[in-house]
Amino acid sequence: MSDAVSKTATEAATKAADAAKTVGRAVRKPPIWFYALVVFVTQLDSGSAGTLLSSIVKTFGLTTLSSSWVAGIYTLGLVVGTPIMANLSDTRGTKKVFLWELGFWFVGCLITAIAPMYPLMLAGRFIQAIGDSGIMVLAMNELMQAARKNHQGRRVSFVGVVAGLSAVAGPALAGMAIGMAKNWRVFYYGMLPVLLILFVMAWFVMDNQLAATSTKTDLAGLCSFSVALLTLMLGITLCQHFKQYWIMVLVLFVIAVVAFLLFLYSEKKLDKSTMPFLPISLFHNRSYVLTLVLAMVGGSLFSLFVYIPTYVFVVFHLSKALSGMTMMGTGLGSLIGSYVGGIFVDKLGNKKALIVSSAINGISVIGILLTAHSLPAFFVLSTLFGFGLGAFMSSPLQVIAGRLAAPDQRMQAIGGVSACKKIGMTIAPLIFASAQLIGSVHGNPTLTSFRAMFLVALLIAVVCIVLTLFIPFNKGNIDNDK
């Protein structure tokens, strides 16, 4: 009897020691420069794609519609991949998912670089996006966990600042690749050794941090929700050409509804040993639902950046090259705003940070409407708009989501905010393009068309303020303690 008790005690002591070691390893976090480096490299695509596009169009002989999928397929991959990677990080461990992400990025870059046909290149772009989808969410979650509550805003906004720097550096590096090698593929070939180095670094620097309880992956929920989201986003994207693809759009929407119903059915049948694909309990929380809606509505304003060069070209009659240069002000403003947004969160609290940044967006859009023929004024106001949008999206929403969720749901909660932002960015072009039909001449936008578009942007900024006022900050402990 005593031997049995002794054996049981020994086994318990061994398990306790193993648990202590696990906790000890979990405390050790990769240094902040590591996350900065990974985010910087993987976000280079967001700035380089536009620079490489004309060369890609020439290589494959693409039409305007076909070329839009170079960016469109990447956005689809981001939307689908973000919730998947956020979920897997809790069931498989942060390190494993991080390595998977870098592996997907490497394979996607390789396929994109060597693709002899356009469809194969798009497949490579989609795989790249899957590899990019969870990097920022993983980095934000790790930095948020390591920070004190009144420093979480600045830590999370750090990721946005690095991403902004990457968006500025991407076009320069892509331009150098084309200028020196006269071949857009060189840019992607150059990424391969860098990704290999990051993979090796992650292998040695990161610990595989698992959730406190052992859970299984919700494969049924993962598959059904991913199909629903993918078909929904494809349908929304094709709505821009509804007359041409209306049958396909309807079929995609039907598949999306059926897949979503299957997802809800599968989530109700889960046993306790399986982690839900999405944190369903959070969707009963009004604060979290409104945060997701706010991310989707606010994310739609990012799509306005695409139209700024065309606006400058039409209204101020600058060359296309100089029109594109005006984006430097918007990008710089967004970069500064990303950092200041974190300070707003830490000093003012999430509610005031969201209201102030939304107000800045609204004021800058009103200024653009009132100074339609002044290029210097537009440059200043577009920079201010970039600042407000950077402050709005860089930190407050992610911090709110992280504070609402339990530790084992934080990745999924932040991932949901990121996915909703990208959904908004996908839907917005359809809304802005519809607004531009007002006052257009033979399908070409005019000043009246762009005024209608900016009025829609102003309405979105006002909606952001209203939504913020409806979030019950005091109930969820999601604002800073004062």
Side-chain angles (χ1 to χ4, degrees):
M1 182 73 175
S2 60
D3 291 340
V5 172
S6 176
K7 183 178 180 181
T8 302
T10 302
E11 290 176 351
T14 302
K15 290 180 179 179
D18 291 340
K21 290 178 183 178
T22 301
V23 172
R25 285 198 301 269
V27 171
R28 185 168 68 87
K29 302 287 184 181
I32 193 170
W33 61 261
F34 171 76
Y35 291 114
L37 186 59
V38 176
V39 169
F40 181 82
V41 172
T42 54
Q43 296 301 303
L44 284 173
D45 189 274
S46 61
S48 63
T51 305
L52 300 172
L53 184 59
S54 59
S55 298
I56 294 172
V57 168
K58 186 177 180 180
T59 299
F60 296 108
L62 304 178
T63 63
T64 302
L65 176 59
S66 298
S67 65
S68 66
W69 282 100
V70 173
I73 198 71
Y74 198 86
T75 303
L76 282 175
L78 291 176
V79 172
V80 173
T82 298
I84 293 175
M85 294 304 171
N87 179 275
L88 291 178
S89 69
D90 289 324
T91 58
R92 303 297 182 183
T94 303
K95 178 179 178 178
K96 284 184 179 179
V97 173
F98 218 84
L99 293 173
W100 291 348
E101 290 278 71
L102 292 172
F104 276 121
W105 236 102
F106 182 90
V107 172
C109 270
L110 181 61
I111 293 174
T112 301
I114 66 175
M117 299 177 295
Y118 186 54
L120 186 59
M121 185 219 167
L122 290 181
R125 295 278 296 159
F126 186 81
I127 295 172
Q128 272 183 267
I130 296 296
D132 183 15
S133 60
I135 293 292
M136 288 189 66
V137 178
L138 286 164
M140 286 180 180
N141 181 55
E142 292 297 307
L143 294 176
M144 188 172 176
Q145 284 185 9
R148 299 192 304 275
K149 188 170 185 179
N150 62 346
H151 284 77
Q152 287 177 336
R154 274 167 282 193
R155 279 295 185 97
V156 173
S157 68
F158 175 78
V159 178
V161 172
V162 174
L165 286 171
S166 183
V168 173
L173 293 174
M176 289 174 59
I178 293 176
M180 295 173 64
K182 310 298 181 184
N183 190 335
W184 60 269
R185 299 178 191 271
V186 171
F187 176 81
Y188 293 103
Y189 281 126
M191 293 287 290
L192 298 179
V194 177
L195 290 168
L196 279 177
I197 293 172
L198 290 177
F199 187 91
V200 173
M201 290 174 62
W203 183 277
F204 288 103
V205 170
M206 298 188 72
D207 281 332
N208 199 44
Q209 301 165 34
L210 290 167
T213 58
S214 177
T215 54
K216 295 185 294 185
T217 301
D218 177 16
L219 293 177
L222 184 154
C223 294
S224 56
F225 186 82
S226 298
V227 170
L229 194 55
L230 178 61
T231 50
L232 175 65
M233 300 309 296
L234 279 171
I236 292 172
T237 302
L238 291 174
C239 274
Q240 299 178 54
H241 312 278
F242 186 77
K243 291 182 179 179
Q244 187 176 356
Y245 297 107
W246 68 271
I247 295 178
M248 188 180 296
V249 169
L250 294 178
V251 170
L252 288 169
F253 283 160
V254 170
I255 295 174
V257 171
V258 172
F260 185 70
L261 292 175
L262 289 174
F263 166 72
L264 293 178
Y265 177 79
S266 68
E267 295 300 284
K268 290 181 180 179
K269 299 295 182 180
L270 286 180
D271 55 42
K272 294 182 179 180
S273 64
T274 304
M275 177 180 287
F277 178 70
L278 293 179
I280 300 298
S281 59
L282 276 177
F283 288 94
H284 298 296
N285 188 316
R286 178 184 171 190
S287 297
Y288 184 68
V289 173
L290 286 174
T291 301
L292 293 182
V293 176
L294 195 56
M296 190 181 303
V297 174
S300 65
L301 287 174
F302 269 99
S303 296
L304 207 63
F305 289 173
V306 177
Y307 300 96
I308 287 179
T310 307
Y311 172 81
V312 174
F313 175 75
V314 171
V315 175
F316 301 110
H317 309 293
L318 296 182
S319 67
K320 290 185 177 181
L322 290 176
S323 297
M325 292 292 287
T326 58
M327 283 296 294
M328 292 180 62
T330 310
L332 180 61
S334 178
L335 187 63
I336 298 172
S338 294
Y339 179 74
V340 176
I343 297 176
F344 282 172
V345 169
D346 294 334
K347 298 297 184 181
L348 303 177
N350 284 296
K351 183 175 184 178
K352 291 181 180 178
L354 288 170
I355 291 176
V356 169
S357 55
S358 296
I360 291 173
N361 289 331
I363 291 169
S364 58
V365 171
I366 291 173
I368 291 172
L369 288 167
L370 295 176
T371 59
H373 295 288
S374 173
L375 183 58
F378 174 78
F379 186 83
V380 172
L381 291 166
S382 62
T383 302
L384 182 63
F385 177 73
F387 175 89
L389 196 53
F392 182 87
M393 297 302 296
S394 66
S395 180
L397 298 175
Q398 286 82 358
V399 171
I400 291 173
R403 289 176 180 173
L404 284 171
D408 62 340
Q409 294 181 332
R410 188 175 289 127
M411 271 292 302
Q412 294 168 290
I414 297 175
V417 170
S418 181
C420 284
K421 168 189 166 184
K422 295 177 180 73
I423 291 172
M425 291 171 63
T426 305
I427 297 173
L430 179 63
I431 299 173
F432 289 139
S434 299
Q436 285 188 28
L437 293 176
I438 301 173
S440 63
V441 178
H442 304 299
N444 297 316
T446 62
L447 177 59
T448 302
S449 304
F450 283 110
R451 278 178 169 165
M453 183 186 72
F454 282 118
L455 281 172
V456 172
L458 176 60
L459 177 62
I460 291 173
V462 172
V463 170
C464 287
I465 294 177
V466 173
L467 286 172
T468 302
L469 294 175
F470 277 94
I471 297 177
F473 284 87
N474 294 332
K475 292 183 179 180
N477 194 29
I478 53 179
D479 225 338
N480 290 336
D481 294 324
K482 297 296 181 185

